[in-house]
Amino acid sequence: DIKFLYDRMQAIIRTVNGQAYQFDLQGFAEAFQYTVYHGAEGGHYDWHIDWGPNPAQRKLSATLQLTDPGQYEGCNLEFHGARGLEVAPRNRGAVIVFPAFIQHRVTPCTKGTRKSIVAWTTGPQFK
């Protein structure tokens, strides 16, 4: 039973949303994604957005960092932000919440293994 994880992530996302974005949110329409990036494979995710032709409109993306940053090298979560390239915090337990339409990537993992959980909160179409 991982209901506690969904409840905790929802609480964090709603708090960040209320403080920063104030999007009209409905909840999670998709299962969380457990992601593992292996250094031996150069695991990464190229530039992309999480917003697109989905049955439910993704509004906020959230990444939960599961791995201590000393256990891997590379594998940075990066964004094209207002001030140029921005790198997300790497500390274990950090939850990074950002609009699903922001372009982001995970750079290649060069050593060790990084694990994370990704979630998308949905809501009605933007107007």
Side-chain angles (χ1 to χ4, degrees):
D1 183 28
I2 60 169
K3 182 180 181 312
F4 76 94
L5 178 60
Y6 279 81
D7 291 345
R8 183 71 177 127
M9 289 291 283
Q10 183 174 32
I12 292 167
I13 292 167
R14 288 198 182 279
T15 297
V16 171
N17 183 55
Q19 293 172 350
Y21 304 113
Q22 299 179 358
F23 293 162
D24 185 4
L25 302 178
Q26 294 173 329
F28 301 116
E30 303 170 71
F32 286 8
Q33 176 181 296
Y34 175 65
T35 307
V36 180
Y37 299 95
H38 296 286
E41 300 167 359
H44 69 284
Y45 214 112
D46 286 327
W47 289 110
H48 67 285
I49 59 173
D50 294 335
W51 196 48
N54 299 305
Q57 179 65 64
R58 291 176 177 173
K59 291 205 167 173
L60 290 175
S61 299
T63 299
L64 168 60
Q65 171 68 10
L66 298 175
T67 309
D68 184 280
Q71 295 182 350
Y72 65 94
E73 293 178 7
C75 225
N76 290 321
L77 174 58
E78 298 181 341
F79 305 90
H80 280 301
R83 291 165 273 174
L85 189 67
E86 298 181 29
V87 179
R90 294 169 50 106
N91 50 311
R92 184 177 183 191
V95 178
I96 298 90
V97 180
F98 56 96
F101 52 78
I102 298 292
Q103 193 174 41
H104 59 285
R105 71 176 176 181
V106 176
T107 62
C109 187
T110 58
K111 182 178 179 184
T113 302
R114 176 182 178 252
K115 299 176 183 178
S116 65
I117 292 177
V118 180
W120 304 276
T121 305
T122 60
Q125 296 290 325
F126 285 109
K127 296 181 181 182

